[in-house]
Amino acid sequence: VMFYRLLSIVGRQRASPGWQNWSSARNSASAAEAHSMALPTQAQVVICGGGIMGTSVAYHLSKMGWKDIVLLEQGRLAAGSTRLCAGILSTARHLTIEQKMADYSNKLYHQLEQETGIQTGYTRTGSIFLAQTQDRLISLKRINARLNVIGIPSEIISPKKVAELHHLLNVHDLVGAMHVPEDAVVSSADVALALASAASQNGVQIYDRTSVLHVMVKKGQVTGVETDKGQIECQYFVNCAGQWAYELGLSNEEPVSIPLHACEHFYLLTRPLETPLQSSTPTIVDADGRIYIRNWQGGILSGGFEKNPKPIFTEGKNQLEIQNLQEDWDHFEPLLSSLLRRMPELETLEIMKLVNCPETFTPDMRCIMGESPAVQGYFVLAGMNSAGLSFGGGAGKYLAEWMVHGYPSENVWELDLKRFGALQSSRTFLRHRVMEVMPLMYDLKVPRWDFQTGRQLRTSPLYDRLDAQGARWMEKHGFERPKYFVPPDKDLLALEQSKTFYKPDWFDIVESEVKCCKEAVCVIDMSSFTKFEITSTGDQALEVLQYLFSNDLDVPVGHIVHTGMLNEGGGYENDCSIARLNKRSFFMISPTDQQVHCWAWLKKHMPEDSNLLLEDVTWKYTGTGASVSRGCSTNERFPQEMSVGYANGIRVMSMTHTGEPGFMLYIPIEYALHVYNEVMSVGQKYGIRNAGYYALRSLRIEKFFAFWGQDINNLTTPLECGRESRVKLEKGMDFIGRDALLLQKQNGVYKRLTMFILDDHDTDLDLWPWWGEPIYRNGQYVGKTTSSAYSYSLERHVCLGFVHNFSEDTREEQVVTADFINRGEYEIDIAGYRFQAKAKLYPVASLFTQKRRKDDMELSDLHGK
Ligand SMILES: Cc1cc2nc3c(=O)[nH]c(=O)nc-3n(C[C@H](O)[C@H](O)[C@H](O)COP(=O)(O)OP(=O)(O)OC[C@H]3O[C@@H](n4cnc5c(N)ncnc54)[C@H](O)[C@@H]3O)c2cc1C
């Protein structure tokens, strides 16, 4: 087979491993021979792209036993971004799922040479992350705490220790650093070749010089691919086309949106130092200086993430292989200056070249994986934000698991393609956003930071009105949502610059909004929530929903049910409220970022029936939440639809997302401003005011309300959240996930959502918990916080998080009982400082003093007991 010949050429050329050798090997391989191979006409899976992603998916699918796999590469294997990768494998990532992917990659690449006989240049160097400021050090300490609990060794070290580990570094401006000793460097192209070689030995057929033109789709399902060498029928297609993934996605008749965009990415290479650097010299990340530095053949390789990136277009026809783009020394100059400040001795060293190669970035700095919501069998793994080598092994494994088992073994929602919709795919949006994203790679990110570009895309009809009243905005799924409202007397500039891990400047503002929600009347614009209507001519809607949702929806017209949309494992695919509008019609309210995922799930599971209609009505209704503590009794039974002012057809529902007494108004969009004005005018005598999402967050967390996407996900079940009463287990009705829940009920749960109230924490002086902080029980790590907020009622910080029970000997998970939770002494680790905390399995009763009807509780107590 051509591929083996290609490998043997590479093998012969490889005196010392590295991309340079690969480059020359690539040139000497004969292209003509590859063309002589005839493509198969059928396969189970066609993978497009022979970079690190495509080869990793092929490797893992074949390891998992899939046989009929074809990998197509338009040029030569590993000749895309993978060829010019700087080769740094770094596990110190912000998200736990990213840390796990990188950790797996590290272990996989470590043994790949032994497995395949192909040299990959794997060298364990360790990495040192420098901190020039105290805030940067806090950020590193937070990452350090999270790395340690998943078994990745790392420690915070002093500048002196940095100098000992890397003698060329100027450490005078440093306040500390994080050392990750098991990080490595490796030749990315050789890793891809090794993965391809192993895959090929497991039966994967690899064809280079073969371009995928488009994917064939019938009835929303992949049926094959059209290539420049003919067609291949297939059930699955995997788009691993790197910077070409966006174009390729759009080339189908049924387009697949894959929001990514490439920017030029630079690094320089020097000649070896007079005393060549040892191959084990640690890699340096000086994020405040915007640069990374590693040993390269006794000299230096140094690149970075500049403030003014250069997006590039690859419009139209694919280039065959990425050429080394033009050197641009003027552009690189700030990074070069930064390098010379950090390593003054380099001043006299000869620079060999400036490498320039495109790399793809995504709208939220996270990679993209998963199945298309529009086309079944169309999978994607792309958009690596300059960490493709680090993620390659783990990402390929999770995607392969997803294809083979239907789910990856970890929750990958943060990376799921379905977190995006077509709305994030406009070229202008992507170009603007990636120009912000690339510098953000090294910017210090404090809690609750927001993107500045691509804003005001989706807005509520109340946007201008709220903006004029001081609303400060955050964005979710393209939608502007008010965070809080700045009173006229507050110094706006200071507030905008309030960037801290400590008590934020908006503390008092949010306090007064929370107080108003509790003591008077507050209005929160919640238009961004996803809203669907499901209607049928007969009983089909009820029947389908009863099967797809875990709670009983056969309730009287006008009632709302809080319910989960579960998968076969009993995990939450969605957590939502469903109102019965009439006998045959239901109104479903889901989290904002569920718009694409939930739609795809329903479409996949609903029968083809022209008498059953699913409609996305998000854009038709403005959602306004009102927390009402006086002036209006929430014991009143609201009519299903009512008039407000001149406007008819306002849907009123006895539910809130704050846990305070109140209701939601769903207002046809054209009446939104009118109704808002009416409500504000009538509410004046009750002290009405606007509130934002930060107030809502504080209120919901202190009431122990878990939110999907933050606290719960597709790997957490209702029983693990204490929500058994919201599941129709005893009613003898079948629904997705029922068997898994029955088993769990019998065997017990292995984790339990718990609320923690910090005891010895000084709100003014101590670092705040935000999310992701390790939880310790009797000194042992048991889980991480999923969200936290300051409770103005309890005057304490409240965190939510799952408690596990790891066996002390084997670290295996054991059953978690209420007794296990209650008997523990807890601490929350905030950036290395541990604070005592009280664990609770039920909300604090005094926060629910207001007497409410049973069904009001039902509607607003989203957590339940
Ligand atoms: C300068 C630079 C330095 C980097 N340094 C690091 C680092 O130190 N550490 C790290 O973790 N990451 C690093 N990265 C990022 C990493 O290299 C990339 O994220 C990774 O290589 C992307 O792999 P990929 O397989 O997605 O894309 P690619 O390697 O670009 O592979 C995509 C492949 O798909 C093929 N293809 C596209 N369209 C078609 C089609 N229609 N038909 C057939 N084939 C097609 C292409 O020819 C290409 O070979 C760096 C990137 C750059 C540019």
Side-chain angles (χ1 to χ4, degrees), residues 48-53 72-74 80-82 84-88 210-212 240-242 244 248 265 267 292 318 320 357-359 384 386-390:
C48 172
I52 190 94
M53 293 304 148
L72 304 178
E73 164 56 49
Q74 62 183 354
S81 299
T82 301
L84 292 173
C85 171
I88 300 166
T210 309
S211 291
V212 175
C240 296
W244 298 271
L248 187 61
H265 184 36
Y267 59 75
Y292 56 81
N318 296 335
L320 259 188
C357 174
E359 168 61 357
M384 290 296 142
S386 206
L389 172 66
S390 307

